Amino acid sequence: MVDSEQVLGCKAPMGLVLVLLLSSLLGPLGQAQAQDCEKPMRYTMSLTGEHIQKEHFPNGLVVTFECATGYRSTGGSGKTTCAAGTWTTSTLSCEKFNCGSLELVNGHVEYSEGTSFGSVATFSCKDGYILSGREKLTCGNTEWLGRTPTCSVVKCDSPPSVDKAEGPSPKRDLYDFASVVRYKCQKDYTINGSASLKCSSNGKFTPNPPTCLMVRCKAPYIPNGSQKSGARPPYVHRSLVEYECNPGFKMEGEGVMTCQLNSTWSSTPECKVLPVDPTSSPVLPVDPTSSPVLPVDPTSSPVLPVDPTSSPVLPVDPTSSPVLPVDPTSSPVLPVDPTSSPVLPVDPTSSPVLPVDPTSSPVLPVDPTSSPGDSKTSSQFLWFLVLVPIVLAVAIGLTLKKRGSQSLRAPVPLEEDKIL
């Protein structure tokens, strides 16, 4: 308080003192009235009435707050006063509105931010059920904005029929969820795709219906090759054949082939000529009419070509006598005349026939029945003695040659009781 006597330096009248005292008290208050308040901001509240649009508020003005959209009052007063540029504290309390949880029979509900204001609920049905209604709802100021959807049992329409096939089986107008239908192709046709379809959760049969195809593969042709095993015509779907190459050829590719749905074979092998070893002997062409070539022992003697005009070589009897080689310096063995008398074997117990010396004079035997002067009889006997050794030599030679050419036949035993 200001002492009026000190201010004036002397005693002042009583009225002047009161004026001075009122000025000292009202001076600060007058200055405060000139300071306005800015627009009050509350995160969970908003102004009401005419003050909503204002930006500046005079000193001493009283305004009222209410809970903002999506919030609810939990008690207190929303009034506040502008005092020297500052708002007094209100007692109003607000909290976010809660829409509460939702239920979906035969389905599920998921929330983005719980069940309070602004949260989004997403709906989905269990397998075998389909959603009817909105898939999402938002929590509003007072409730969920929209009707809760429902989940109904899935139904599938009848799938289409397939050309050249029986089905779908069983036949109905509507099918429940997880129902299965089947197709069967007619005779000589192969099914392409799945024979069974299932009613799925989206109300459609899956997978797509199959088709029926006529599958026929042509007979394989592999040059220089032949079929080893497998199916015979007609070649239908999944028929399997195995091919191999002829001797002297090597296979390139897969020799086992399968008839596919597009009526083609799974592979096409080739038979290519084996490379020739320059150090090896040349391979002679094989006569297709001949009997099959056994494997050759590399340590054995080389096989000489056979003269096709010669007699076949018969197997050797191991119990027979060995065939002796022919002396190239000996006289040639003449062939035997099949109309002549057979040459009898020589009796080993008889006396040997000595060869005749061509330079000596023939010794004529004496015919005891002939007369001393009978020249005709003596001449015939002389020729007999000359021809006998020659005939015996020729017969023995022919016998040896015959045994040599037929060395593989069993020997014929000599009949010792037949003596010339």
Side-chain angles (χ1 to χ4, degrees), residues 345-353 416 418-420:
V346 180
D347 184 1
T349 60
S350 63
S351 301
V353 179
E416 297 181 357
K418 295 181 180 182
I419 301 175
L420 181 63

Side-chain angles (χ1 to χ4, degrees), residues 28 31 56 59 67 103 130 133 140 143-144 151 159 166 208 226 248 253 256 265 267 321 327 344 346 399:
Q31 295 176 356
H56 298 281
N59 184 52
C67 292
E103 291 185 1
I130 190 169
E143 61 182 354
W144 291 100
C151 290
E166 300 174 0
N208 293 328
S226 59
V256 178
W265 294 102
S267 63
S321 301
D327 184 0
L344 300 178
V346 180
T399 302

Side-chain angles (χ1 to χ4, degrees), residues 12-89:
M14 189 65 179
L16 181 59
V17 173
L18 292 176
V19 172
L20 294 174
L21 288 176
L22 289 174
S23 299
S24 64
L25 292 174
L26 296 176
L29 182 59
Q31 295 176 356
Q33 289 177 350
Q35 295 182 5
D36 295 339
C37 291
E38 299 291 335
K39 185 175 183 178
M41 299 297 296
R42 301 288 187 273
Y43 177 72
T44 60
M45 304 175 189
S46 60
L47 291 173
T48 61
E50 60 182 4
H51 303 127
I52 294 177
Q53 302 298 330
K54 291 184 177 181
E55 295 296 332
H56 298 281
F57 299 84
N59 184 52
L61 181 65
V62 178
V63 297
T64 303
F65 280 99
E66 65 180 0
C67 292
T69 303
Y71 290 83
R72 291 289 181 271
S73 173
T74 58
S77 173
K79 291 185 177 182
T80 181
T81 303
C82 178
T86 303
W87 293 100
T88 60
T89 304

Side-chain angles (χ1 to χ4, degrees), residues 310-382:
S310 64
S311 302
V313 179
L314 301 177
V316 179
D317 184 358
T319 60
S320 63
S321 301
V323 179
L324 299 178
V326 180
D327 184 0
T329 61
S330 62
S331 301
V333 180
L334 300 176
V336 179
D337 183 1
T339 61
S340 63
S341 302
V343 180
L344 300 178
V346 180
D347 184 1
T349 60
S350 63
S351 301
V353 179
L354 298 178
V356 179
D357 184 0
T359 60
S360 61
S361 300
V363 179
L364 300 177
V366 179
D367 185 0
T369 60
S370 63
S371 302
D374 191 353
S375 59
K376 182 178 179 181
T377 303
S378 300
S379 175
Q380 290 177 350
F381 190 74
L382 177 63

